[in-house]
Amino acid sequence: MNTIYITRRETFNGAHKLWQEEWSEEKNWEVFGKCSNKNWHGHNFQLFVTVKGVPDENTGFVMNLKTLSQILKEKVIEPLDHKNLNLDVPFFKGKMASTENLAIAIWDEIYDIIAKNGGELAKIKLVETENNYVNYYGGKEPF
Amino acid sequence: MNTIYITRRETFNGAHKLWQEEWSEEKNWEVFGKCSNKNWHGHNFQLFVTVKGVPDENTGFVMNLKTLSQILKEKVIEPLDHKNLNLDVPFFKGKMASTENLAIAIWDEIYDIIAKNGGELAKIKLVETENNYVNYYGGKEPF
Amino acid sequence: MNTIYITRRETFNGAHKLWQEEWSEEKNWEVFGKCSNKNWHGHNFQLFVTVKGVPDENTGFVMNLKTLSQILKEKVIEPLDHKNLNLDVPFFKGKMASTENLAIAIWDEIYDIIAKNGGELAKIKLVETENNYVNYYGGKEPF
Amino acid sequence: MNTIYITRRETFNGAHKLWQEEWSEEKNWEVFGKCSNKNWHGHNFQLFVTVKGVPDENTGFVMNLKTLSQILKEKVIEPLDHKNLNLDVPFFKGKMASTENLAIAIWDEIYDIIAKNGGELAKIKLVETENNYVNYYGGKEPF
Amino acid sequence: MNTIYITRRETFNGAHKLWQEEWSEEKNWEVFGKCSNKNWHGHNFQLFVTVKGVPDENTGFVMNLKTLSQILKEKVIEPLDHKNLNLDVPFFKGKMASTENLAIAIWDEIYDIIAKNGGELAKIKLVETENNYVNYYGGKEPF
Amino acid sequence: MNTIYITRRETFNGAHKLWQEEWSEEKNWEVFGKCSNKNWHGHNFQLFVTVKGVPDENTGFVMNLKTLSQILKEKVIEPLDHKNLNLDVPFFKGKMASTENLAIAIWDEIYDIIAKNGGELAKIKLVETENNYVNYYGGKEPF
C-alpha cells in the first residue's frame, strides 16, 4: 500500500511566559531566565501538521488540504493567533506554556476531527524560533 | 553499523492542474477549487531525496552526491522542469497530478538506479508551496 | 518628517510561458529556451509591495496593513492566483509574460487605489524563483 | 570613493499590542483588529541594521561587525528581547507600539553611538512577520 | 507516555577539503572534484540536535534548551567554528572530513553529556549547503 | 521610461581568513578575532547581482537571465567556488579578504562585460552568513 504523508503549515503569533506558580520569582528566573519576564514576550509560531494515508484513486489526495487547513484554522489558529497562550486559550488553560506542552495540546485538540475527516494525524512540528522546535507523534514511535 | 542518511535537494518549475476526467466541471470545482483551473497553474517544486547507507572508509561518503545529483537531473529534473506535469512527463502520463502521486512516481523512477549505484533510496520529500509538502518512504515505515 | 516604508508580502501560484507570437518556434526556443515550452510551466510567485508615508499619530501606521492586504488580494492575487498569466488575466492580456512586464502591470493596477487609501506606492518586488526577481519603482529613482 | 553598505542582522522576541488609549475598545478593535487583544500577542522580530562607509585600508572593513553587533546587543536587543514592547522598554515608553514607530525609535537610539564608532547609520529594516516589514532611512532618501 | 522531541539549531563556519591521503592527486580529483582543492573551501554549517524525553511536570521541558545550547556551544561550536575541520578539531583528527563523518563524530562527542543532563540524544541533522545535508540517529532506526 | 531592475542569485563556497600581513599575530587576533584563524574558515556565499534597464519590446527582458547567469558563472563563480579567496583568485590577489573588498572586486570584474551584453550593473549584494551582508553600487548612490 502506498502510504504517504502530507504536511500543512499554518502560522500564528502569540504571547506567553514560562512561569511556575508554585515557585518563587528567584526560582522562576533561575530556571526560565528571560522567558519568565512577568510582562510576557512572544513569537511567530509555525505549525506543521502531518497526516498519514493512502492517496484516493479519484483525487490523488490523502486528504483534501483545504479541509485540513479549515480544521487547523478553526481548531488551532483561531484560538491561538494574536492571543496570550497562558491566559486566552480554552484548551491550554492551566498548563505550563512550554512549546512541548503546546504541541501535545494541539495534537489532542485535532486528532479526532482529522480522523472523522478520513485522515490519521501522524506528527506535529511546532517551531518557536529559527533555533528551537519540537516534534510530537502522539507518544508513538517518531519519524 | 553507522547507518546514516544523506539528502540532496533539486528544484523544478512545472505547470499542472487537478482535474478528474470522469467528473463534471462542477464536481471538479467542488473538490479541487482553483486548482482545477482549466488553463493550468504552476509551482516551484523542491525535491529532497534521501539515501541510506554506511559511510565508505575511503571517501566518508554514503554515496557520491555528484552521482546522486546526476541521476536526479537526468531521471527527474530533465523530464519535469519547465514542463506540464499532466501532459509532458512520460513516467507520469494518465495519473492524477497530485503532489502525492508525483512523489510516488518519482520514487518508482529512481529506486533501482540508485540501488545500482550503491545507495538505498529511503525517503522523498516533495515541497509544492511553503505551506504544503508530502513525504514518501516507499510504503515502508516512515522516518 | 519621519518618512518610512512598509512592505506587505502576498503570494500566488501561476502558469505562464515566454513566447513571442511573431517569431518562429526555433527563434522562440533560441531566445527563451525551456521557458518557451508550449504546454506551459509555472511558479510560486512572491509579491512584495512597499508603500511610503509618515506614521499617523493615532495609529503609528503609514497605512493599515489590513487595508493594503485587502487591496492586493482583490486587485492582484485574485486575478493571478492559480491562473495562467498569458491567458486568464484581464490586466495582462496581450503582453509578453515576463516577470518584468508583470511587475509593471501590477504597479499600474494598484497605484491609484493605494493613493486613494492614503498611501504612496513606492516599490514592487516580484520574486519568480529563489534565483530570480525584479524590482520596479514606477520608473522613478530606485531604492 | 568606494562607499559600501554593511548590514548586520540581530533578532529579538517581544510581546506587544496595538492600543490607542484615547479610543474606546470598539474603536480599537475596528482599527487594529486582533492586534488589539488586551492580553497581548508577540513576534520573533528580525532587525537589519545597515551602516555606510568606505572600507579601511588595513582591515577591509567599513566598521568592525563585532563592534556593531555589540552596540546592537547592548542598546537594542538587551532592552527589547523577551520584553513587552509597550511596558518594558525605556526608550519606547508612551509610544504607539507599531513596527513603524519601533524602527524610528531604534534609529534614534543607535545613530550617535554608531557615528562615534566611525560608521554612518544608513538604514533600518525591522521584520515583524514573514509578510510584514518596515524600512527607515532616518527620514532621508531611501535606498 | 508523552514522549516528545526537541530540537536546537546552532551554526558554525568552517573550512575543509575532501582528500584521501592514500590516493594520487588525480584519483582525489576524479572522486572529490572541486571539493579536493588543496587550498581548502568552506561552508556555513547548520547543526540541528534533537533530544527525546517526556516533559517535566514543573517546567514543561524535555530538557532546558539553555543547558542544551551551552553543551553544544562548549562541545561542538567552540571546537568547530571558524576552524579548519581537517586540521584544528581534536575530536575529528585523522578522519575523512565528509559531512557524514562529522555528524557521527558530533554524535559521539555529545551523547554522554546530554544523557548526564537528563536528555536522550535522538538525531543529528548537519546541513552543509542549501542542497546537501545528512541525518544520523546513532545507527538506530531513523525518524 | 519603464526602468526596472532584475536580480540573479548565484552561490559559491569558499575559504578565507582575515589577516593583515603587516600586523603581529596579537594585533590580528585583537582586530579580527576567530576570523584570523591561520588554518582558514569558510562560508556559503550568496551573490545577488542587479542589472538595470528597460524591458525589450519583443522579449519583455531587461537582459536575458541565461546570459547574465553565464557571465556570472564564468567570471565569478568559476574562479571563487570551492576556492581559497586569499590564495586562489586571480582578480582578488593581494587584497584583504573582507566581504566588502570582495563585493567591490566582483563589481569591477563584471561591469564591462554586462555593459557589452546590453545591461547596466546597478548593485551587488554579497551575503556571507545569515547575519552579515554587504551592498555595493559602484560607489554611486545606493538603492
Side-chain angles (χ1 to χ4, degrees), chain B:
Chain B
M1 291 292 286
N2 283 329
T3 302
I4 197 165
Y5 296 75
I6 59 167
T7 299
R8 175 74 188 172
R9 184 184 78 122
E10 302 285 347
T11 62
F12 60 94
N13 308 318
H16 76 151
K17 68 177 164 190
L18 298 177
W19 184 267
Q20 173 50 268
E21 288 291 346
E22 304 188 6
W23 290 349
S24 66
E25 200 168 324
E26 291 69 25
K27 179 78 185 279
N28 271 291
W29 175 259
E30 187 192 318
V31 174
F32 298 120
K34 57 190 179 177
C35 298
S36 67
N37 176 30
K38 71 179 195 299
N39 285 333
W40 321 96
H41 68 283
H43 300 288
N44 303 335
F45 290 91
Q46 296 185 72
L47 173 68
F48 296 81
V49 172
T50 300
V51 171
K52 170 186 183 175
V54 175
D56 178 86
E57 226 170 284
N58 278 318
T59 61
F61 286 170
V62 161
M63 181 181 177
N64 197 320
L65 279 173
K66 283 188 299 181
T67 309
L68 180 55
S69 179
Q70 283 161 1
I71 291 170
L72 298 178
K73 287 206 167 85
E74 184 188 338
K75 297 291 179 187
V76 183
I77 304 308
E78 185 67 27
L80 292 171
D81 188 33
H82 285 74
K83 295 289 168 54
N84 185 307
L85 307 184
N86 300 61
L87 303 177
D88 294 336
V89 186
F91 69 77
F92 201 49
K93 275 275 172 67
K95 299 195 177 142
M96 271 300 301
S98 71
T99 314
E100 288 93 326
N101 283 346
L102 183 54
I104 295 171
I106 291 171
W107 175 286
D108 292 342
E109 197 64 14
I110 60 176
Y111 187 86
D112 286 347
I113 190 167
I114 287 176
K116 272 179 210 149
N117 282 275
E120 179 184 344
L121 180 59
K123 172 179 170 178
I124 279 181
K125 179 180 183 178
L126 183 57
V127 181
E128 190 183 63
T129 72
E130 64 188 24
N131 296 323
N132 301 333
Y133 64 84
V134 308
N135 286 351
Y136 184 59
Y137 309 84
K140 284 172 280 193
E141 284 305 300
F143 65 93

Side-chain angles (χ1 to χ4, degrees), chain C residues 54-62, chain D residues 23 96 101:
Chain C
V54 174
D56 177 86
E57 228 170 283
N58 278 319
T59 61
F61 286 170
V62 162
Chain D
W23 290 350
M96 271 301 300
N101 283 346

Side-chain angles (χ1 to χ4, degrees), chain C residues 43-104:
Chain C
H43 300 287
N44 304 335
F45 289 92
Q46 296 185 72
L47 173 67
F48 295 81
V49 172
T50 301
V51 171
K52 169 187 184 175
V54 174
D56 177 86
E57 228 170 283
N58 278 319
T59 61
F61 286 170
V62 162
M63 180 180 178
N64 197 321
L65 279 173
K66 282 188 299 180
T67 309
L68 179 54
S69 178
Q70 282 160 1
I71 291 171
L72 297 179
K73 288 208 165 85
E74 184 188 338
K75 296 290 180 187
V76 184
I77 304 309
E78 185 66 29
L80 291 171
D81 189 32
H82 285 75
K83 294 289 168 55
N84 185 307
L85 307 184
N86 300 61
L87 303 177
D88 294 336
V89 187
F91 69 76
F92 200 50
K93 275 277 171 65
K95 298 195 177 142
M96 270 300 300
S98 71
T99 314
E100 288 92 327
N101 283 347
L102 184 54
I104 294 171

Side-chain angles (χ1 to χ4, degrees), chain A residues 9 11 13-15 34-35 37 39-46 81-84 87-88 127-130, chain D residues 9 11 13-15 34-35 37 39-46 81-84 87-88 128-130:
Chain A
R9 184 185 77 123
T11 62
N13 309 317
K34 56 191 180 177
C35 298
N37 175 29
N39 285 333
W40 321 96
H41 67 283
H43 300 288
N44 303 335
F45 290 91
Q46 295 185 73
D81 189 32
H82 285 74
K83 294 289 167 55
N84 185 307
L87 302 177
D88 294 337
V127 180
E128 190 183 63
T129 72
E130 64 188 22
Chain D
R9 184 184 77 124
T11 63
N13 308 317
K34 56 190 181 179
C35 298
N37 175 30
N39 285 334
W40 321 95
H41 67 282
H43 299 289
N44 304 335
F45 290 91
Q46 296 185 71
D81 188 33
H82 285 74
K83 294 291 167 54
N84 185 307
L87 304 177
D88 294 336
E128 190 184 65
T129 73
E130 64 189 23

Side-chain angles (χ1 to χ4, degrees), chain F:
Chain F
M1 290 293 285
N2 283 329
T3 302
I4 197 166
Y5 297 75
I6 59 167
T7 299
R8 174 74 188 173
R9 184 185 77 123
E10 303 284 346
T11 62
F12 60 94
N13 308 316
H16 76 149
K17 68 178 164 189
L18 298 177
W19 184 267
Q20 173 50 269
E21 287 293 344
E22 303 189 6
W23 289 351
S24 67
E25 199 169 323
E26 290 71 24
K27 180 77 187 277
N28 271 290
W29 175 259
E30 188 192 317
V31 174
F32 298 119
K34 57 190 182 178
C35 297
S36 68
N37 175 31
K38 70 179 196 299
N39 285 333
W40 321 95
H41 66 284
H43 299 289
N44 303 335
F45 289 91
Q46 295 185 73
L47 174 68
F48 296 81
V49 172
T50 301
V51 171
K52 169 187 184 174
V54 175
D56 178 86
E57 228 171 283
N58 278 318
T59 62
F61 286 169
V62 162
M63 180 181 177
N64 197 319
L65 278 173
K66 283 188 299 180
T67 309
L68 179 54
S69 179
Q70 283 161 0
I71 290 171
L72 297 179
K73 287 209 167 83
E74 183 187 339
K75 295 292 181 186
V76 183
I77 304 309
E78 184 67 28
L80 290 171
D81 188 32
H82 285 74
K83 293 290 167 56
N84 184 308
L85 308 183
N86 300 62
L87 303 178
D88 294 336
V89 186
F91 69 76
F92 201 48
K93 274 278 170 64
K95 298 195 178 143
M96 271 300 300
S98 71
T99 313
E100 287 93 327
N101 283 345
L102 184 55
I104 295 171
I106 291 171
W107 176 285
D108 292 342
E109 198 63 15
I110 60 176
Y111 187 87
D112 285 347
I113 190 167
I114 287 176
K116 272 177 210 150
N117 281 276
E120 179 184 344
L121 180 60
K123 172 178 168 179
I124 278 180
K125 180 180 181 178
L126 183 57
V127 180
E128 190 184 63
T129 73
E130 65 188 22
N131 296 322
N132 300 332
Y133 65 83
V134 308
N135 285 351
Y136 184 60
Y137 309 85
K140 284 173 280 193
E141 284 305 299
F143 64 92

